[in-house]
Amino acid sequence: MVDVTSYALISITCFCFGLIVSFQIAHIHYCHKLTALVRRSIATKTIAPVLAEYEAHKSKK
């Protein structure tokens, strides 16, 4: 019979790895989004894309 503490340790380990992976996925997503905004700002030579994204995000809340 498998010990209950073994199940508890495995579940805690899986939970921690899940948190790490989800944090990395979110970090990559927002880095890509920020990179796209920076490229648009450089292409237009203004900060208008950043302000437009800020206003769009602000209105969603």
Side-chain angles (χ1 to χ4, degrees):
M1 181 126 197
V2 179
D3 195 14
V4 175
T5 56
S6 298
Y7 276 128
L9 289 175
I10 289 171
S11 64
I12 290 170
T13 304
C14 289
F15 178 73
C16 291
F17 278 122
L19 285 177
I20 292 169
V21 168
S22 64
F23 179 76
Q24 288 296 323
I25 290 171
H27 179 74
I28 290 168
H29 171 74
Y30 285 110
C31 282
H32 283 282
K33 194 171 186 177
L34 181 62
T35 304
L37 275 176
V38 168
R39 285 182 183 157
R40 282 176 44 202
S41 293
I42 290 172
T44 59
K45 296 182 182 173
T46 64
I47 61 166
V50 176
L51 297 175
E53 186 68 27
Y54 176 74
E55 287 296 322
H57 180 71
K58 188 176 172 183
S59 66
K60 288 181 184 178
K61 286 185 177 180

